[in-house]
């Protein structure tokens, strides 16, 4: 009897141990990810600074900045959509501040709305530096002539509009944005599925344990039947 149970016991205990370890690992990843997101949210909410002389994606991602200047004539649209709003475009515009030219993400414009005229004269903008990672091998190439893009590729957009490879996503503006809704930087788009992964692994561990118990029960029952 014992010899027949050794296999199911080793198989069952080993499987449950592995699945529990994977679930525990995901809980540790969840703790790390929540701390990481909290740090980003704290960075986003800091008091705005002047635009760095040479911003770096590695150190200045999400940095709050305040700048004053004028919108340039060149711009482009990035195709997108928003929940409960529908399809539309993000409006990216060249912005002149001092002797520098940068990119400003003005916000989201629904397809059925008409873009307002750019504000005349000097304006003030508050927002966050951002280098989005939105492109992959399936992202279509932009229609540079038509000004239609399918992802915010800072380096490519800067080359097209003749600016520094720096993008400020506006959160507050001194002018009336009209139908263009500023979309401030948040952590909403950063995935955090570790809790679901942990639940999955722990559920599989419970199922594995139940199957092992059933196998042992069947083995014992069959042995008893042979004896009688």
């Amino acid at each position: 009897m014992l010899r027949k149970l050794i296999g199911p016991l080793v198989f069952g205990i080993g499987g449950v141990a592995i699945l529990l370890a994977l679930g525990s690992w995901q809980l540790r990843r969840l703790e790390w990810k929540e701390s990481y997101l909290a740090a980003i949210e704290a960075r986003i909410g800091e008091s705005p600074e002047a635009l760095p002389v040479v911003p770096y994606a590695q150190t200045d991602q999400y940095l709050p900045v305040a700048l004053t200047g004028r919108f340039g004539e060149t711009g482009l649209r990035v195709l997108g959509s928003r929940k409960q709003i529908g399809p539309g475009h993000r409006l990216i515009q060249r912005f002149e501040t001092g002797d520098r030219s940068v990119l400003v993400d003005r916000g989201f414009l629904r397809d059925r709305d008409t873009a307002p005229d750019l504000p005349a004269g000097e304006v003030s903008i508050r927002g966050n530096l951002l280098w989005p990672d939105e492109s992959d091998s399936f992202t279509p190439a932009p229609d540079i002539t038509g000004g239609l893009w399918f992802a915010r590729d800072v380096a490519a957009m800067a080359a097209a509009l003749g600016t520094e490879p720096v993008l400020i996503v506006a959160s507050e503006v001194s002018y009336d944005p009209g139908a263009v809704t500023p979309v401030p930087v948040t952590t909403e788009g950063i995935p955090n599925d570790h809790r679901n992964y942990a639940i999955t692994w722990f559920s599989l561990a419970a199922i594995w344990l139940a199957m092992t118990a059933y196998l042992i029960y069947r083995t014992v029952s069959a042995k008893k039947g042979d004896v009688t």
Side-chain angles (χ1 to χ4, degrees):
M1 171 72 74
L2 182 60
R3 187 179 304 166
K4 288 189 175 182
L5 293 179
I6 289 177
L9 283 171
V10 172
F11 186 70
I13 293 174
V16 170
I18 292 172
L19 293 170
L20 289 176
L22 289 170
S24 298
W25 175 66
Q26 287 297 335
L27 288 179
R28 293 193 296 273
R29 292 283 296 171
L30 174 63
E31 183 179 1
W32 168 83
K33 194 60 170 286
E34 289 179 341
S35 298
Y36 173 71
L37 293 176
I40 292 176
E41 289 173 353
R43 181 78 182 275
I44 292 171
E46 292 175 354
S47 298
E49 305 177 6
L51 185 65
V53 176
V54 183
Y56 293 101
Q58 294 81 0
T59 56
D60 295 320
Q61 183 83 302
Y62 308 113
L63 179 71
V65 296
L67 61 162
T68 300
R70 298 171 180 268
F71 281 109
E73 295 182 358
T74 55
L76 54 86
R77 297 185 177 213
V78 181
L79 185 66
S81 64
R82 297 190 66 196
K83 291 181 179 179
Q84 301 179 347
I85 294 178
H89 300 84
R90 281 182 176 269
L91 303 188
I92 311 296
Q93 199 74 27
R94 179 185 175 115
F95 191 80
E96 312 288 347
T97 177
D99 58 354
R100 304 174 64 181
S101 299
V102 295
L103 300 167
V104 168
D105 184 333
R106 296 167 54 198
F108 185 81
L109 178 71
R110 296 180 298 182
D111 268 351
R112 63 176 179 268
D113 293 334
T114 301
D117 293 334
L118 290 170
E122 196 169 76
V123 298
S124 296
I125 294 175
R126 287 190 177 190
N128 297 82
L129 295 179
L130 189 68
W131 286 264
D133 183 13
E134 298 176 343
S135 301
D136 57 28
S137 58
F138 298 101
T139 304
D143 176 6
I144 296 179
T145 302
L148 179 62
W149 295 59
F150 302 94
R152 291 178 297 175
D153 183 328
V154 174
M157 293 189 303
L161 298 184
T163 72
E164 298 178 30
V166 176
L167 174 68
I168 297 95
V169 179
S171 57
E172 298 179 22
V173 295
S174 63
Y175 57 90
D176 180 7
V180 181
T181 304
V183 184
V185 174
T186 67
T187 59
E188 183 179 343
I190 302 176
N192 183 14
D193 298 320
H194 297 294
R195 179 176 281 105
N196 292 334
Y197 294 153
I199 292 172
T200 298
W201 289 121
F202 288 138
S203 298
L204 288 173
I207 294 171
W208 195 286
L209 181 62
M211 292 176 62
T212 301
Y214 179 70
L215 178 60
I216 292 173
Y217 168 76
R218 288 293 302 270
T219 302
V220 173
S221 297
K223 185 63 177 178
K224 287 181 178 178
D226 292 342
V227 173
T228 58

